[in-house]
Amino acid sequence: MASLRCLCLLLATATATSPGRLVPYDLLYADGVRAYFSRDWGRAAELLQRALHSYAGLRAARRACRAACRREAPFLGGPAAAEQPWEAALFGRVLQRADCLQHCLGRRLGAAPSAHRASPTIRRDFEQREPYNYLQLKKLDQAVSAAHTFFVANPQHLQMREDMEKYRRMSGVKSDNFRDLEATPHWEAYEAGVQHYNADEYLQAVARLEESLREALSALEECRALCEGPWEDEDEEEEEEMQPGLYEAVAAHYVQVLKCRQQCVLEIATKPGRISATEDFIPSHLDLLQFAYDQVGNQVLAAECAASYLLFYPTDEPTLEKMKQYRTELGEDTAVTARESIQHYVQRSLMEKKLIYYAVEHLGGTFNDPDLWTPDELIPENLKEKYREDQEKQKQETLDMEESEKRGPLPFEGIAVTMDSRQMNGTQRVVFDRVLTESECKDLLRLTKAAGEAGDGYRARRSPHTPHERFEGLTVLKAMQLAQNGDVDWRDAKLLLQASEKSRKIIESYFTPGRKLHFSFTHLVCRTAVDGEQAGRMDLSHPVHADNCLLDPEGQECWREPPAYVYRDYSGILYLNDDFQGGGLFFTEMDTVTVTAEVHPKCGRLVAFSSGKENPHGVWAVSRGRRCAIALWYTHSQEHAEQERVKAEELMEQRAVEQDQLDEEERQADHSGRSSSELPISSSGARPTSRRHKPGSDRTQQPKELRARDEF
């Protein structure tokens, strides 16, 4: 947020010295988005830039006014009056602070502060840097900076990822155009400091980590100042008679502000674009600095950092040992104290936690403590018990879920559940491994060669989804017909039937035990990257879609109506190889751009999921090589069962009968041959083996061997 902070200071200075009115940023943003969709690019860019300036100016004004009014209307240090009633002493200061804030913000904003109360949706857009998504308009360098700024905070945004790749290939784009216009100084310094630390460059590490700590504490104060905003009503439908009284309302709002202040440490400890905060962000600075100062020979500052760290973890044995060492080296007479800024930080945080826990214990509510270092004695005993119960309950639920997944009921041994719905950030999703062996994958890949020569699908033509790939497909019926004509091995065609049936049983037992799943369609498919046409490619191998409904990303809906295959209930992909680039499966939100999970292909891996709107998915571009898999769709509706499969199974049964007849003839011939005394005996004493040719094939019938796929 370096540029944003500079912008804030400029705006704060400008509004302090001029009576100009600051237009509410939500109004400017709405007008800018309307202009964008009206293709009035110049107007859109102007309004969106003004919206960002207004947003920064509003935050700067609030911070500045709250700091100024703390000085002008302090709660402590005012003139004492013993006869003054306590209400006047307390609320008189509160009213003075409110009056100060109203006048200060009015001067800086040029309008009533209430005009700048944007909706939660608009506030969320600015927190997620959404305006920059629209600002790829004017000059190329500015467009690149806007795109990069948005992408840093939204790294899973699919369209922006493609835009970034496009910008990187443009000849007029320089590396320094990729600037984060909202960069946070403490994160830049922290990452640089950690890099120096890991490289044993301790002098440089000390400088950057000290900078990071200063900037982090400064950002923390800015965040805390913004917590003193209007009451955020969690229950908007609360009836009028349920409104709290004076003291209840004051207490509720104050506790809300305290909780917000406590959560600020998570905000500064969360890198833009990340979901989880870095644990112990402030204490970790002191821990790293203590060691770095020790390595460069500055034991005084090393001891100071160790003493500061002990304010968070007073019983930490390694740090206590280091403190003994430092006192010995510096002399017992040398005073070693924690940093004043850290003392203030810890004391204030503990005071706020104590008030919050009192409110939770006596007034109700919850509190998610952001710190790992909170002393155990600070938490009331009854809340400790509840916390332990919640932890045990959550642990038991996790164990129950894991146990349920372990016991299946999977119908085959050796299959592993690699990822479940929780790990894939969705519902009705799972990944199995070891469904096929390596030899089975090779046999099925041999069958895919027939798909390119005589298969169905698009017969090695360009894919219907992208001109950069060839698409080859083979249904189970076509595979059986090819085997009948002697074009492919019967055993390979049979393996296709067996592998798909094995997948069906696994998916049925996992998702719908006791309820029959029928095949809707089975397709052995390969996608091959077209050589010489991958440079500059921006599309997908298969666009994002849902399998039984028509996806509407803008309306956040999926319409279950024709031409969608509305009868499909579950889908699966059984991968056969991984010797290619790209081609992974990914899941998204309903917007089709926010990626929630990815699955990388490998031999024998089966990914399965429900076919509805809860699982939009697509396939990354195959940029090199050939990706082969068995695509599977299932339905609970018997009337929509795959008819080609029935015919294929009939051909297989017919083949089995013919093979049994051949085997019987062979046994009879062997028996009659063994009873004949005229058969010659080889020098080794073994009798010659009878060999017969298979109909439609010039290959010899070999003695039957136990193959890996016989597990079917």
Side-chain angles (χ1 to χ4, degrees), residues 547-550 559-567:
D547 285 343
N548 69 7
C549 54
L550 305 175
W559 306 102
R560 198 162 183 176
E561 60 187 32
Y565 300 101
V566 296
Y567 48 85

Side-chain angles (χ1 to χ4, degrees), residues 239 263 276 280 287 312 519 536 553 600 607 620 632 711:
E239 298 180 3
Q263 297 301 312
S276 302
D280 273 345
D287 191 32
F312 296 96
F519 283 96
H600 301 289
V607 55
W620 297 118
L632 305 155
E711 68 180 69

Side-chain angles (χ1 to χ4, degrees), residues 569-604:
D569 295 300
Y570 288 90
S571 308
I573 304 171
L574 180 57
Y575 295 108
L576 304 181
N577 65 323
D578 60 3
D579 54 343
F580 53 88
Q581 287 184 356
L585 180 76
F586 63 94
F587 293 88
T588 73
E589 299 283 10
M590 287 279 285
D591 60 8
T592 73
V593 295
T594 305
V595 177
T596 56
E598 296 187 57
V599 179
H600 301 289
K602 62 181 286 189
C603 166

Side-chain angles (χ1 to χ4, degrees), residues 290 294 299-311 313-314 316-332 334-338:
Q290 179 270 136
D294 187 41
Q299 273 66 39
V300 173
L301 290 180
E304 180 187 77
C305 290
S308 301
Y309 183 82
L310 287 172
L311 293 178
Y313 295 103
D316 185 71
E317 288 295 335
T319 308
L320 289 172
E321 287 296 322
K322 292 298 292 184
M323 283 298 295
K324 290 181 182 178
Q325 175 187 328
Y326 294 140
R327 286 196 173 95
T328 302
E329 294 174 354
L330 298 173
E332 294 296 334
T334 304
V336 177
T337 58

Side-chain angles (χ1 to χ4, degrees), residues 10-217:
L10 289 171
L11 284 167
T13 305
T15 50
T17 57
S18 63
R21 178 173 177 269
L22 189 67
V23 181
Y25 70 91
D26 57 331
L27 301 181
L28 293 167
Y29 180 53
D31 289 343
V33 172
R34 276 193 289 270
Y36 180 90
F37 286 110
S38 298
R39 296 180 177 274
D40 188 352
W41 311 124
R43 178 72 173 158
E46 177 193 352
L47 289 168
L48 290 168
Q49 290 282 8
R50 288 178 60 193
L52 288 167
H53 290 190
S54 176
Y55 178 69
L58 175 63
R59 291 167 63 89
R62 285 175 175 168
R63 289 196 299 267
C65 286
R66 283 165 186 158
C69 291
R70 278 198 296 271
R71 295 189 298 270
E72 294 179 23
F75 290 144
L76 299 175
E83 70 281 358
Q84 189 177 22
W86 72 268
E87 286 192 29
L90 172 62
F91 287 107
R93 294 291 182 179
V94 172
L95 294 173
Q96 291 174 21
R97 177 76 63 89
D99 178 57
C100 176
L101 287 169
Q102 287 281 4
H103 281 82
C104 179
L105 289 170
R107 289 194 307 270
R108 289 176 176 272
L109 303 178
S114 59
H116 292 268
R117 290 181 182 174
S119 69
T121 302
I122 298 296
R123 293 204 303 270
R124 194 178 306 114
D125 276 0
F126 276 76
E127 289 167 2
Q128 296 176 351
R129 306 185 181 183
E130 190 65 32
Y132 290 100
N133 194 15
Y134 297 102
L135 276 172
Q136 302 176 69
L137 297 173
K138 289 186 175 180
K139 296 181 179 179
L140 181 60
D141 59 340
Q142 296 175 356
V144 174
S145 297
H148 182 71
T149 302
F150 177 81
F151 187 64
V152 167
N154 302 273
Q156 296 298 325
H157 197 284
L158 183 60
Q159 183 60 51
M160 190 58 72
R161 181 185 298 180
E162 294 178 355
D163 289 348
M164 294 300 294
E165 291 299 324
K166 176 184 68 176
Y167 286 133
R168 287 190 179 94
R169 289 193 295 268
M170 288 185 176
S171 58
V173 175
K174 301 177 181 178
S175 59
D176 57 1
N177 292 148
F178 294 91
R179 294 184 297 118
D180 182 4
L181 302 176
E182 301 275 354
T184 50
H186 69 274
W187 266 110
E188 291 182 344
Y190 179 73
E191 291 186 323
V194 171
Q195 287 178 358
H196 288 305
Y197 182 92
N198 291 334
D200 297 338
E201 300 167 351
Y202 296 111
L203 276 175
Q204 298 93 322
V206 161
R208 298 313 303 270
L209 288 171
E210 289 284 15
E211 178 189 353
S212 173
L213 184 58
R214 286 193 305 271
E215 293 289 349
L217 293 174

Side-chain angles (χ1 to χ4, degrees), residues 402-474:
E402 292 176 352
E403 185 62 28
S404 175
E405 290 173 355
K406 287 178 182 177
R407 62 174 179 258
L410 297 179
F412 301 96
E413 293 182 359
I415 296 172
V417 177
T418 306
M419 288 193 290
D420 58 17
S421 297
R422 180 179 53 82
Q423 293 166 309
M424 298 174 75
N425 305 310
T427 59
Q428 297 282 287
R429 303 173 182 174
V430 66
V431 175
F432 303 96
D433 277 334
R434 300 199 292 271
V435 176
L436 295 175
T437 65
E438 290 289 341
S439 63
E440 289 161 356
C441 287
K442 290 179 180 178
D443 291 345
L444 287 168
L445 286 171
R446 184 169 62 237
L447 188 60
T448 64
K449 295 180 181 179
E453 299 168 0
D456 55 350
Y458 298 91
R459 297 183 182 173
R461 299 176 186 170
R462 296 300 173 100
S463 167
H465 307 299
T466 170
H468 304 291
E469 295 175 19
R470 291 193 306 275
F471 183 97
E472 303 153 357
L474 195 66

